[in-house]
Amino acid sequence: MSKRLIVVLALALVVGLTFTAYAEVQNVKVSGDINILGVLRNNFDLGNPPRTSTGTPDALTRTKENDKSRFLATQTRVRIDADLTDNVIATVRLINERNWTSETVSSTDIDLDLAYVTLKEFLYSPLTLTLGRQEIRFGNQLIIGNNGTYTAGAVNGLPSDLSERNSFDALRATLNYDPLIVDLVYAKANNANVDNSDDTDLFGINAAYDINKKVNVQAYIWDRKDKSVGAIVNSKKDNVYTLGGLLTIKPIEDLKMSLEGAWQFGNARVNAGSETKRKAYALQAMADYTFTKVKFTPAIGGSYTYLSGNGKYAGWNQMYYNQNLGNIAYAILPFSNMNVINLKGSIKPMEDVTLSALYGYYTLAHKATTLTSGKFDSNGNTYLTAAALTNKKNLGQEIDVTALYDYTEDVQLGLTLGAFIPGNTFHDSRVANQAVASMKVTF
């Protein structure tokens, strides 16, 4: 009898706790996606081995993975949004990304991608606080959009340019004085060592104002403090101030245009104990038009991007950009010291099918002797490692073609083909090409 009583009391306790937990949650939404990739890549190092300015082979070693890569990968995300009260929302998203050849206990672990709390009308009705690991994106994401650009290598055999990890550990305060919205942000962008003062911190203010329904202006200032070599004696801080503005207009129906300019200043660390001044610029103009009333819904667009290079002062710091100006160029070229012209177009020959194409033309903004990419292959090696350059500015051209098929409302099949044709900036270079097939299921 006593055993039965204990069991009954235990069940009552469990039920009571369960109902108590549910009583504190008004609504729970579960969502996510599974993306399966098949990737073929060739010559992403543009030459194996590269050549020096004298024409002799470079002594730098190259992995076979840089030259030729074939792999399957899966990206899985599960997100939970819980409305606790009318003004309190908790969000958690878990992620796993892995190359199928990277089958280990650690590679199949589930990692934390998002974990933040949203407090609406906090102490003051226009104020919203967002605290924890979150995505931060502003404007066209020329400056702020993806923390993954500083990932120090591949994750579970997946090249870093394909990763969907882009969140920040951050505190964000949003003041909504419609039509003015002001965001104040502090983020811990990188923490090299818990016990040392060697972090990378990001502070910023972004103000957006709707002049009317067709015109929006934004102004921002960001301060990135990189103390990653703080443990080295006499080392200097790498401090980047980025000040800029963005104008977005919709002068007529279906046409969207934007113009953004930014200036960087501060100190650039050359090595431990030495530094130089920053004085860099970025300029970007975009225009997109969709023929919504025309059969097949064609769309066209174009953009120009200028990122200053190394001259007397340090060149443009890529900050935390999230812009793809060409699928292959995004992987192999650094987001600095470039002029980029992009032309794109798309069409829907069938209701469930979208065909699109992108052309990119890339040149150096300032002549350079070496070039290092900021992305990593499946082995964690950069695609270009201090590649020797000629005295020319033509980096190359890229063509990407993509087909998307909405198999159902929840399943999308895709195929992207691309080729990057190197210019005369590179010695004895070869064409880089890739094919990426995908199937994405959203729930």
Side-chain angles (χ1 to χ4, degrees), residues 23-300:
E24 295 176 353
V25 179
Q26 293 185 353
N27 182 48
V28 176
K29 179 183 177 182
V30 179
S31 59
D33 52 70
I34 300 174
N35 191 26
I36 299 176
L37 300 173
V39 181
L40 307 177
R41 288 182 165 178
N42 293 296
N43 302 326
F44 268 44
D45 60 0
L46 303 183
N48 190 7
R51 299 281 175 170
T52 65
S53 57
T54 61
T56 58
D58 197 315
L60 293 173
T61 59
R62 300 289 181 175
T63 66
K64 185 178 180 181
E65 182 73 13
N66 273 14
D67 183 60
K68 195 173 187 179
S69 182
R70 308 281 189 272
F71 63 90
L72 294 167
T74 300
Q75 297 170 300
T76 306
R77 298 187 296 181
V78 177
R79 174 169 173 158
I80 301 173
D81 294 280
D83 295 335
L84 305 181
T85 65
D86 290 338
N87 294 321
V88 180
I89 303 172
T91 300
V92 175
R93 186 168 70 193
L94 306 177
I95 188 171
N96 176 269
E97 298 180 303
R98 67 178 183 88
N99 187 317
W100 285 12
T101 60
S102 181
E103 176 62 40
T104 64
V105 173
S106 61
S107 70
T108 54
D109 280 348
I110 301 298
D111 299 322
L112 192 65
D113 188 32
L114 299 177
Y116 64 89
V117 176
T118 303
L119 305 176
K120 298 180 179 179
E121 299 183 4
F122 182 74
L123 301 179
Y124 178 50
S125 59
L127 176 61
T128 296
L129 296 182
T130 309
L131 314 173
R133 177 163 292 190
Q134 59 190 282
E135 293 180 339
I136 304 176
R137 295 169 176 168
F138 290 104
N140 294 327
Q141 303 182 62
L142 175 67
I143 311 298
I144 304 295
N146 185 352
N147 192 26
T149 52
Y150 276 101
T151 301
V155 177
N156 299 332
L158 185 73
S160 59
D161 62 288
L162 298 178
S163 176
E164 294 182 338
R165 302 167 188 255
N166 53 26
S167 56
F168 297 79
D169 287 316
L171 309 176
R172 178 175 178 175
T174 302
L175 293 165
N176 190 344
Y177 301 108
D178 189 25
L180 173 66
I181 298 177
V182 180
D183 284 281
L184 296 89
V185 177
Y186 163 72
K188 180 69 68 175
N190 183 53
N191 187 0
N193 191 314
V194 175
D195 296 328
N196 294 330
S197 179
D198 53 4
D199 303 343
T200 300
D201 296 323
L202 178 68
F203 306 84
I205 300 175
N206 188 94
Y209 183 76
D210 288 323
I211 296 177
N212 52 49
K213 293 182 179 180
K214 295 184 178 181
V215 181
N216 175 273
V217 293
Q218 294 188 39
Y220 52 81
I221 182 168
W222 295 96
D223 176 16
R224 186 178 76 93
K225 297 182 183 297
D226 182 359
K227 300 172 288 184
S228 57
V229 294
I232 301 176
V233 178
N234 297 324
S235 66
K236 303 292 183 178
K237 294 180 181 179
D238 191 301
N239 195 199
V240 187
Y241 293 100
T242 304
L243 175 68
L246 169 65
L247 171 66
T248 303
I249 61 174
K250 299 177 181 179
I252 59 175
E253 185 179 2
D254 302 327
L255 175 62
K256 180 180 179 180
M257 305 172 68
S258 65
L259 178 65
E260 184 167 3
W263 173 46
Q264 287 183 341
F265 58 98
N267 297 321
R269 183 179 55 237
V270 178
N271 50 51
S274 64
E275 63 181 23
T276 186
K277 294 294 183 181
R278 290 190 179 278
K279 187 177 180 182
Y281 307 89
L283 179 67
Q284 187 171 73
M286 294 181 171
D288 294 281
Y289 187 81
T290 303
F291 298 85
T292 55
K293 299 179 181 180
V294 177
K295 186 178 181 181
F296 304 139
T297 320
I300 58 175

Side-chain angles (χ1 to χ4, degrees), residues 142-143 149-150 264 316-321 334-336 375:
L142 175 67
I143 311 298
T149 52
Y150 276 101
Q264 287 183 341
W316 178 258
N317 184 284
Q318 66 181 13
M319 293 292 288
Y320 302 98
Y321 78 99
F335 199 71
S336 179
K375 306 296 189 303

